[in-house]
Amino acid sequence: MKFDLAAEIRTDSGKGAARQLRRKGRLPAVLYGQGECVLLTLDPEDVRVILRSHAGSTALITVKIAGATSKGTRIALLRDYQIDPVSGDVLHADFFEVLMNKAIRVKVPVSVTGGQPAGVKEGGILQHNMREILVECLPSALPDSIPVDASALTIGQGIHVKELQPVAGVRFLDDPDQMVVSVAVPMSEAKLEALLTSAAVTGEGKEPEVIAKGKEAAAAAEGVAGAAPAADAKPGAAGATATAEKGKEGAKEAPKAEKKAEKKDEKKK
């Protein structure tokens, strides 16, 4: 898909300049690639049209730059953009310039075709295992999407990257054995009920791990608390030992004091 986009060169950069542009109803944007980076200002409605086309990442955009000194017309891809989460307005856009004679690598969306798969009609569930495929090609060969016909898939079957229908001028770069779409086996009511019942029994018959850990922690805490008095008793035991040693020293010094007293009495006599 191709679009035309009118743009103008801007010289001011930064958040303040970007806010002023938005107040004037313009969108700040950047065009980079091929060794150059150009600051642009656009009409935000033109970017909304590209985004609403659901081909934003693969659309070839002809950017016509007013006031450009060289290369006033360039071909680009919309590489990235910012959306205001509250208002939904586009706040900024990044464009990547491409050369028509140089191959590019782009993620292209997967488009499931062929109507409802046979396996889904039998009760299976269609699974989109891959929403995008990484491809390499010239810009002129870039497809809007990769069609995948899943109509013949039965329950338990799928389509891998290597089984995709070839697209002219396009090379798939993802793992060939990676599943793109598949039809999963539905879970029966009996199996679902059995799972729910086993979960309920496990929940009632077994003590929750968190509570068990809590009890272990409490038991450990009680053990530490029980050991505390023994630890507190150590200072008392040390005090008793010290008192006993002092008593022994006192007993040794008592005879000496008595001898001194006897010598004093003899001198007096």
Side-chain angles (χ1 to χ4, degrees):
M1 195 173 292
K2 297 181 179 181
F3 296 90
D4 292 332
L5 196 65
E8 297 176 1
I9 295 288
R10 64 184 172 100
T11 56
D12 296 333
S13 61
K15 294 182 178 179
R19 280 195 290 267
Q20 290 180 3
L21 283 174
R22 294 187 193 105
R23 291 192 193 102
K24 296 177 182 178
R26 301 293 289 176
L27 176 69
V30 176
L31 174 67
Y32 61 93
Q34 313 309 322
E36 190 178 6
C37 181
V38 183
L39 301 180
L40 302 175
T41 173
L42 315 166
D43 183 348
E45 184 58 30
D46 293 340
V47 178
R48 291 193 196 98
V49 171
I50 297 173
L51 295 176
R52 284 197 292 265
S53 70
H54 301 290
S57 62
T58 60
L60 285 180
I61 305 167
T62 302
V63 183
K64 298 179 179 180
I65 307 173
T69 56
S70 63
K71 294 180 65 177
T73 300
R74 310 194 187 194
I75 306 300
L77 296 171
L78 178 59
R79 182 54 57 90
D80 198 6
Y81 57 90
Q82 274 185 302
I83 299 289
D84 188 304
V86 178
S87 64
D89 296 334
V90 184
L91 300 178
H92 194 275
D94 290 348
F95 296 90
F96 179 71
E97 184 181 0
V98 298
L99 299 178
M100 298 304 291
N101 60 351
K102 187 177 180 180
I104 56 175
R105 292 185 175 186
V106 182
K107 286 188 176 182
V108 179
V110 172
S111 174
V112 179
T113 62
Q116 191 178 48
V120 174
K121 295 177 182 178
E122 298 171 1
I125 301 171
L126 179 64
Q127 293 185 332
H128 295 261
N129 303 86
M130 295 180 67
R131 296 283 180 177
E132 295 177 321
I133 302 291
L134 181 62
V135 305
E136 183 179 65
C137 62
L138 290 174
S140 57
L142 183 62
D144 294 333
S145 62
I146 303 298
V148 180
D149 186 358
S151 59
L153 292 180
T154 59
I155 294 176
Q157 290 185 335
I159 298 175
H160 300 83
V161 172
K162 61 186 177 184
E163 297 167 335
L164 294 175
Q165 290 296 319
V167 179
V170 176
R171 186 163 69 96
F172 302 131
L173 300 180
D174 288 300
D175 183 358
D177 293 324
Q178 193 166 351
M179 188 75 73
V180 181
V181 294
S182 60
V183 177
V185 179
M187 184 177 292
S188 64
E189 294 183 4
K191 187 174 181 180
L192 179 60
E193 186 177 355
L195 287 174
L196 294 174
T197 304
S198 62
V201 170
T202 303
E204 293 176 0
K206 187 177 180 181
E207 190 175 28
E209 185 181 357
V210 175
I211 298 176
K213 287 184 177 180
K215 288 188 176 183
E216 289 176 4
E222 289 178 2
V224 172
D232 294 340
K234 287 182 180 179
T241 304
T243 305
E245 290 177 354
K246 287 183 180 179
K248 289 180 180 179
E249 291 177 359
K252 291 179 181 178
E253 292 177 359
K256 293 180 180 178
E258 289 179 0
K259 289 180 179 179
K260 287 182 180 179
E262 289 178 357
K263 287 181 180 179
K264 287 182 180 179
D265 292 339
E266 288 178 355
K267 286 182 182 179
K268 288 180 181 180
K269 291 178 179 180

